[in-house]
Amino acid sequence: AAALIVALSLIAGRAVMVACGRHNWSGIEPAVGFAIVLAVEGLLARFPCNGPGLVLGLAVIFGVAAYVLRRPASWKVPGSPWLWAAVGVTVLLTAVPFVVSGRWGLLGMGYNNDLGLHLAWAESMRSGFGTEPSPGYPLGPHGLATSLSYLPGISLGTAFIGLVVAIPSLTVMTAWYALDRLRSGRRLIAAVLVASPYLMVSYFAQAAFKETATATLLLAFTIALPAVLPLPPGSREKLRVSAPLLVLLAGIVFTYSFPGLAFPAAVAAAWLISDRDFRSRLSPSALLAFMRRPAVAVGTALVLALLLVLAFLGPFGFGDAFAEVATSDAFGPVSAVEAFGVWLTSDYRLDGAMSTPLPGLMAVIGIGATVIALWWWSRQPRSIYP
């Protein structure tokens, strides 16, 4: 199941990039393909009797991608053995819980049985029986798992665990591209660390997928921004370079709902502010003049109106499900020290009670590592991703 998700994401992502005129491997293909799969499946998941329709959606994605990639020159995949070694290491890391338990099966049982509800929703989508999904809840991952469950030998539980395993593999492939300044050995280690830090592993251990999938799509969005900002001249060229980012945003919406757009919005704002030319034009009068342009004013009003309508009306309105999606990751405030990779309690969702041995020393190590990394980054000959 995991291999199927990775393969379909690579094919669909490659097709999107070729359709946008990007014939060389760009590195964001895995996440872009994953995003378009989640968007299509999430859209179809809200239609009645949608089990066969979800399978048809995957078939259409594959058929369209195969047509776009009909020329042999278009079928390019990353050929570095170091990259595939990084993917292999990541897959081995995801196998640790199964090695410890001595069997394949569901993750998170007995600790956080959140997957049980998602399985019930997917069963409702597949057979029409059971608990119906909450109104407005993003169902892209559920639709994908439901589609895979129609294949021989893949149950709904297997499909969901395949999805949980596939996400770190897609993440390490995406991170590999952003780390192109490192030599192969260090690049492998860094890519694996990006795909499997403590928080991602914690989500993995309880079979969570919304957070890890959103993080992967956000990583690809950040990597793709330099090709878009500043936008090239010409409306058609702007659309071509912006299309992969729009696909990633659609994937985030159908994975984490509309509140998930806050993450790429913050990243885009940080990128813009870091641009010297943009900062020079960042004055109240310039902003006011920009907003007064008819196209900008009308476009902004339409986007805000659409978001308000989508928030409370229709099958994708997230008003009722907002608390389920956006406020369920933590029981309360957590320590700011945890931003530096120091976990003061065994449960990352709880406020740190300083019960971890040597919390002060661990904080110094985490903050020190961050300072050294920023110093190294500032000395690079060109801007790369911090």
Side-chain angles (χ1 to χ4, degrees):
L4 285 173
I5 293 172
V6 172
L8 182 59
S9 299
L10 285 172
I11 294 171
R14 184 73 192 132
V16 170
M17 301 306 288
V18 170
C20 293
R22 307 272 289 275
H23 295 280
N24 295 324
W25 182 265
S26 64
I28 62 172
E29 281 87 348
V32 169
F34 188 49
I36 201 167
V37 168
L38 293 175
V40 171
E41 295 294 275
L43 183 65
L44 295 175
R46 285 296 173 183
F47 288 91
C49 302
N50 46 15
L54 291 168
V55 178
L56 180 61
L58 281 188
V60 169
I61 292 174
F62 182 80
V64 172
Y67 175 78
V68 174
L69 302 176
R70 61 189 182 277
R71 294 191 179 95
S74 300
W75 289 82
K76 291 183 179 179
V77 295
S80 172
W82 288 94
L83 167 59
W84 295 109
V87 174
V89 171
T90 303
V91 171
L92 290 176
L93 288 175
T94 62
V96 167
F98 307 108
V99 174
V100 171
S101 63
R103 61 178 180 83
W104 297 105
L106 301 179
L107 294 168
M109 299 292 290
Y111 175 69
N112 181 359
N113 196 23
D114 186 55
L115 185 60
L117 179 62
H118 299 299
L119 284 167
W121 286 356
E123 179 59 38
S124 174
M125 295 160 54
R126 190 181 194 279
S127 63
F129 297 99
T131 306
E132 293 185 0
S134 297
Y137 201 94
L139 297 177
H142 307 73
L144 175 57
T146 302
S147 298
L148 294 178
S149 70
Y150 281 87
L151 296 174
I154 298 181
S155 64
L156 275 176
T158 304
F160 269 108
I161 297 304
L163 173 65
V164 172
V165 171
I167 292 171
S169 301
L170 296 171
T171 306
V172 77
M173 297 176 74
T174 305
W176 180 266
Y177 178 77
L179 299 165
D180 58 333
R181 290 192 58 82
L182 298 180
R183 294 182 178 179
S184 297
R186 294 175 65 189
R187 195 174 180 182
L188 182 152
I189 296 172
V192 171
L193 290 175
V194 171
S196 55
Y198 175 83
L199 191 56
M200 294 284 274
V201 171
S202 298
Y203 280 125
F204 175 85
Q206 58 179 291
F209 47 83
K210 297 192 311 292
E211 295 80 7
T212 53
T214 303
T216 301
L217 301 179
L218 179 65
L219 175 66
F221 181 88
T222 306
I223 294 171
L225 268 180
V228 177
L229 299 176
L231 286 171
S235 57
R236 178 176 296 183
E237 189 63 23
K238 289 179 180 179
L239 180 62
R240 291 176 65 178
V241 299
S242 303
L245 271 73
L246 298 177
V247 171
L248 291 169
L249 294 179
I252 290 176
V253 168
F254 285 99
T255 303
Y256 208 79
S257 192
F258 295 95
L261 296 178
F263 300 114
V267 169
W271 267 105
L272 287 172
I273 294 174
S274 68
D275 182 74
R276 183 177 303 173
D277 294 334
F278 179 82
R279 288 200 309 271
S280 65
R281 300 191 301 268
L282 195 63
S283 64
S285 59
L287 288 176
L288 186 59
F290 177 76
M291 294 303 298
R292 282 179 174 174
R293 295 179 182 178
V296 175
V298 173
T300 303
L302 289 176
V303 169
L304 292 177
L306 178 62
L307 288 177
L308 287 175
V309 170
L310 292 174
F312 301 103
L313 300 176
F316 304 104
F318 66 89
D320 294 335
F322 180 81
E324 297 180 44
V325 179
T327 61
S328 59
D329 289 336
F331 300 116
V334 295
S335 172
V337 176
E338 294 187 354
F340 299 96
V342 180
W343 301 97
L344 303 179
T345 59
S346 58
D347 191 331
Y348 67 90
R349 299 169 296 173
L350 300 176
D351 185 19
M354 309 302 283
S355 59
T356 301
L358 303 175
L361 177 60
M362 293 175 67
V364 169
I365 293 173
I367 295 172
T370 304
V371 170
I372 293 172
L374 289 173
W375 172 81
W376 172 86
W377 174 64
S378 68
R379 295 172 59 87
Q380 299 306 303
R382 64 179 175 87
S383 176
I384 61 172
Y385 318 99

